[in-house]
Amino acid sequence: MFERHVVDWDDAYANGANIAGSDRWPAAWAEPAQAFRDALSAEGRAQFDIAYGDGRRNRLDLFLPTAAPEGLVVVIHGGYWLETDKSLWSHLANGAVSSGFAVAMPSYTLCPDIRIAGIVGEIGAAIDKAAAMIDGPLMLTGHSAGGHLATRMVTISTPLAADVARRIRHVVSISGLHDLRPLMRTGMNKALAIDEEEALAESPALLRPMDGARITCWAGGGERAEFLRQNALLANIWTGLGAATSTVVEPDRHHFNIVNGLADPAHPLTRALISEQPI
């Protein structure tokens, strides 16, 4: 018999303290992200800081393929709803852009200046804005807190416009946080201010998926146990609610390098994101 009992919730959700060499992130993303932005800007295939709302951080970047886009991918950054922004993630658009898709990357207002429910509304507005600019099927992905925001978009209480929601073909949540209740036990909740009401209203695992939802929950084999549990949790629950679900645990990846596959058009993460069928 194996019994598991989480005693230290801060440690359970502490990635940096439990990954060797973690102090190199997120700074390690800055150089490749800037190089990608510069390269596509020089080719006229990048638009920066497109406003989707009135907030200072309500801006998105749009990266375009060399031909007419086959559809739109939205990549939502992580950082526990507390840190980072779109500029550190630009290079992760390469996999989808090189495969013929436009990629939108939004920033959003960070806690404690906003509640998570407010961020959900901002991401909905960002996706609506990008979808009005690019035709075709829509795929959503996000990392950690971004995985929460991506999956939240395909629940029955989505903030998305109905015509935009109907275009969503696939969601890939990378190391996503799908049940917010455990985070109420962490020190970071002083800034997040999640209460029981918000956790019940904004946790994808506690909500019903919209009709036709298709989701892949993707995590690294070197993740903290809670991230692996959260990864399996959403797919498990949503399978029982009629969604098409897949669960992937990628070997030899941890919470920070798990996103690298998005930069490679041949990587299984990119191929899964843009494919019509599971890989």
Side-chain angles (χ1 to χ4, degrees):
M1 177 183 295
F2 176 77
E3 181 177 87
R4 182 166 180 245
H5 179 211
V6 178
V7 176
D8 187 341
W9 287 96
D10 286 311
D11 182 66
Y13 283 92
N15 291 298
N18 291 287
I19 297 172
S22 65
D23 55 346
R24 63 186 293 260
W25 285 282
W29 294 322
E31 185 174 341
Q34 188 61 55
F36 181 82
R37 292 161 68 85
D38 290 346
L40 265 70
S41 179
E43 297 175 10
R45 295 195 288 127
Q47 300 177 41
F48 302 120
D49 294 323
I50 300 167
Y52 68 81
D54 296 330
R56 178 179 60 84
R57 289 175 57 98
N58 292 168
R59 302 291 184 270
L60 65 85
D61 295 338
L62 184 67
F63 302 105
L64 300 171
T66 54
E70 296 181 25
L72 174 67
V73 171
V74 179
V75 179
I76 307 168
H77 74 77
Y80 275 128
W81 310 273
L82 294 167
E83 57 189 10
T84 81
D85 63 40
K86 59 184 172 60
S87 68
L88 292 174
W89 297 72
S90 303
H91 60 298
L92 300 179
N94 183 62
V97 168
S98 295
S99 301
F101 290 82
V103 174
M105 290 192 173
S107 288
Y108 47 86
T109 306
L110 299 175
C111 298
D113 293 336
I114 195 172
R115 297 285 295 271
I116 288 177
I119 298 175
V120 168
E122 289 189 350
I123 291 300
I127 295 171
D128 283 347
K129 175 70 174 184
M133 301 175 70
I134 303 294
D135 294 330
L138 177 59
M139 284 69 68
L140 311 180
T141 189
H143 174 248
S144 197
H148 159 267
L149 294 166
T151 53
R152 181 65 179 81
M153 295 300 113
V154 289
T155 64
I156 58 172
S157 55
T158 180
L160 294 174
D163 60 328
V164 173
R166 284 192 293 269
R167 289 170 55 186
I168 297 175
R169 186 170 76 190
H170 193 197
V171 175
V172 177
S173 177
I174 306 169
S175 306
L177 295 160
H178 307 126
D179 182 354
L180 301 181
R181 292 173 298 179
L183 298 173
M184 295 168 60
R185 298 172 178 260
T186 68
M188 76 179 83
N189 202 44
K190 292 178 182 178
L192 297 176
I194 304 167
D195 56 24
E196 188 76 10
E197 181 180 5
E198 184 171 49
L200 294 175
E202 301 299 339
S203 296
L206 306 180
L207 302 172
R208 286 189 170 273
M210 63 174 61
D211 289 344
R214 176 173 166 244
I215 183 165
T216 297
C217 297
W218 194 292
E223 298 267 8
R224 304 294 289 152
E226 271 296 280
F227 281 89
L228 291 170
R229 185 185 68 82
Q230 291 251 9
N231 193 60
L233 176 69
L234 186 66
N236 187 319
I237 292 175
W238 276 16
T239 298
L241 297 176
T245 68
S246 301
T247 305
V248 176
V249 176
E250 186 178 351
D252 302 320
R253 295 284 182 171
H254 55 62
H255 190 74
F256 297 112
N257 64 13
I258 187 65
V259 296
N260 291 354
L262 291 176
D264 180 358
H267 192 280
L269 179 55
T270 296
R271 303 316 304 163
L273 175 62
I274 64 176
S275 70
E276 294 280 358
Q277 300 295 330
I279 292 179

